[in-house]
């Protein structure tokens, strides 16, 4: 096991940063529990891998926004999306709105944890001026992971609400990334929504959303534990807002006859609770 770990260290010519980034983001976006120390270690590795890629991008004249978008769009098809049956199994047999509630809560907890760890790392760098230049890489890593968690949440909410998105894995990933950038669901009645998701307009929208998320994380550059508190709180609030917007949008995507009985049965109660 020591050799593969060594091969992935920055500066090693045999390293494959793109593959490593995809694997690390996949592990950090997984809803399963990770020990804080392990999550911190993985986030640190991701920051180093991204820093290596950013340096190469600067050498070739690629702007930060474009590079960040290219990285995210490359890893988006690797984000594991569970089908409805698997989701229900993983969430103690829940269905309908109750399952959607649990998905949003789980995603909130995940982005809050990543934000707290990323903010704490950034705060530590802030308190040590010689290392300050490494902090942006850590915030970029946090941004990528949070975006992946939220895209995963969005895609799996489509499963819960029965909104099927057709196309290849790459097309579906692009459609979900575009929906995340616009903070709304994919329209299943518009086939063009999937094909257009691969175009320049989608990359622009995703870039703008990523940069806004990165800008939010820059507020965690504070001394001591203020970064951890800010990072966790801001991420939790943003994920909650996304979940609410996507659920409301998806409820209106399909005609009543195509809705699952579980969703129709609990929808009125859910609306009263959220009002």
């Amino acid at each position: 096991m020591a050799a593969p770990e060594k091969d992935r260290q920055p500066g090693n010519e045999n390293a494959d940063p793109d593959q490593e980034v995809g694997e690390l983001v996949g592990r950090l976006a997984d809803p399963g529990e990770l020990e804080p120390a392990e999550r911190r270690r993985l986030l640190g590795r991701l920051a180093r891998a991204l820093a290596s890629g950013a340096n190469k991008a600067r050498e070739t004249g690629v702007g930060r926004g474009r590079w960040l978008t290219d990285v995210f769009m490359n890893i988006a098809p690797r984000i594991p999306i569970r089908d409805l049956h698997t989701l229900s199994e993983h969430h103690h047999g829940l269905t309908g709105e109750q399952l959607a509630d649990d998905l949003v809560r789980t995603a909130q907890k995940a982005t809050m944890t990543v934000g707290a760890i990323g903010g704490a790392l950034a705060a530590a760098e802030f308190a040590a001026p010689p290392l300050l230049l490494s902090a942006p890489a850590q915030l970029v890593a946090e941004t990528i992971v949070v975006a992946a968690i939220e895209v995963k949440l969005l895609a799996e909410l489509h499963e819960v609400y029965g909104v099927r998105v057709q196309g290849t894995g790459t097309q579906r990933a692009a459609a979900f990334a575009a929906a995340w950038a616009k903070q709304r669901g994919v329209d299943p009645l518009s086939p063009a929504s999937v094909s257009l998701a691969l175009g320049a307009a989608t990359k622009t929208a995703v870039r703008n959303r990523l940069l806004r998320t990165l800008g939010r994380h820059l507020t965690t550059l504070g001394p001591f534990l203020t970064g951890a508190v800010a990072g966790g709180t801001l991420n939790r609030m943003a994920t909650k807002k996304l979940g609410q917007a996507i659920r409301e949008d998806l409820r209106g995507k399909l005609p009543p006859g195509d809705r699952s009985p579980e969703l129709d049965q609990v929808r009125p109660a859910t609306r009263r609770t959220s009002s």
Side-chain angles (χ1 to χ4, degrees), residues 81 155 159 165-177 194:
I81 308 302
E159 287 289 320
V165 178
Q166 305 299 322
T168 65
T170 299
Q171 288 174 326
R172 295 177 76 246
F176 290 135
V194 174

Side-chain angles (χ1 to χ4, degrees), residues 3-265:
E5 182 72 21
K6 181 179 179 181
D7 289 343
R8 289 193 288 267
Q9 295 302 314
N12 190 306
E13 295 181 357
N14 295 325
D16 184 351
D18 292 336
Q19 181 177 350
E20 182 181 14
V21 167
E23 292 174 353
L24 290 171
V25 171
R27 291 181 64 183
L28 286 162
D30 190 279
E33 294 290 338
L34 277 177
E35 293 294 328
E38 176 67 3
R39 193 177 294 275
R40 188 177 296 108
R41 186 182 72 83
L42 293 176
L43 196 61
R45 274 183 52 194
L46 178 60
R48 291 192 294 272
L50 289 170
S52 175
N55 289 335
K56 292 180 180 178
R58 278 194 292 270
E59 291 172 2
T60 58
V62 177
R64 169 176 284 188
R66 178 181 165 189
W67 167 77
L68 185 61
T69 305
D70 287 343
V71 169
F72 186 70
M73 295 303 286
N74 284 339
I75 66 171
R78 304 182 189 182
I79 299 173
I81 308 302
R82 296 167 292 180
D83 60 25
L84 182 58
H85 177 73
T86 303
L87 284 169
S88 184
E89 280 191 339
H90 288 179
H91 289 264
H92 312 291
L94 294 177
T95 59
E97 296 283 357
Q98 292 178 327
L99 175 56
D101 286 342
D102 216 37
L103 284 177
V104 175
R105 279 194 296 267
T106 301
Q108 283 182 251
K109 181 180 178 182
T111 59
M112 180 176 67
T113 301
V114 171
I117 292 174
L121 288 173
E125 302 298 350
F126 186 90
L131 300 178
L132 182 59
L133 291 179
S134 65
Q138 293 162 356
L139 297 182
V140 169
E142 179 185 345
T143 297
I144 291 286
V145 174
V146 167
I149 292 170
E150 292 188 342
V151 169
K152 180 181 180 66
L153 168 65
L154 180 147
E156 293 181 345
L157 285 174
H158 280 69
E159 287 289 320
V160 174
Y161 287 93
V163 178
R164 304 285 180 246
V165 178
Q166 305 299 322
T168 65
T170 299
Q171 288 174 326
R172 295 177 76 246
F176 290 135
W180 171 75
K182 299 172 183 177
Q183 305 282 281
R184 64 171 183 258
V186 179
D187 186 355
L189 302 180
S190 175
S193 63
V194 174
S195 58
L196 291 176
L198 296 172
T202 289
K203 286 193 174 184
T204 299
V206 171
R207 180 176 70 243
N208 291 339
R209 177 62 59 182
L210 285 168
L211 290 177
R212 281 196 290 272
T213 304
L214 177 60
R216 184 177 78 226
H217 293 155
L218 286 172
T219 64
T220 66
L221 278 174
F224 308 111
L225 295 179
T226 59
V229 174
T233 301
L234 291 174
N235 282 350
R236 178 180 59 79
M237 293 173 59
T239 302
K240 180 180 180 180
K241 181 180 178 181
L242 171 70
Q244 290 173 337
I246 297 304
R247 292 174 69 179
E248 186 64 26
D249 193 39
L250 291 177
R251 289 185 186 113
K253 291 295 185 185
L254 293 178
D258 290 340
R259 259 190 261 277
S260 69
E262 294 88 349
L263 290 175
D264 279 333
Q265 288 170 5

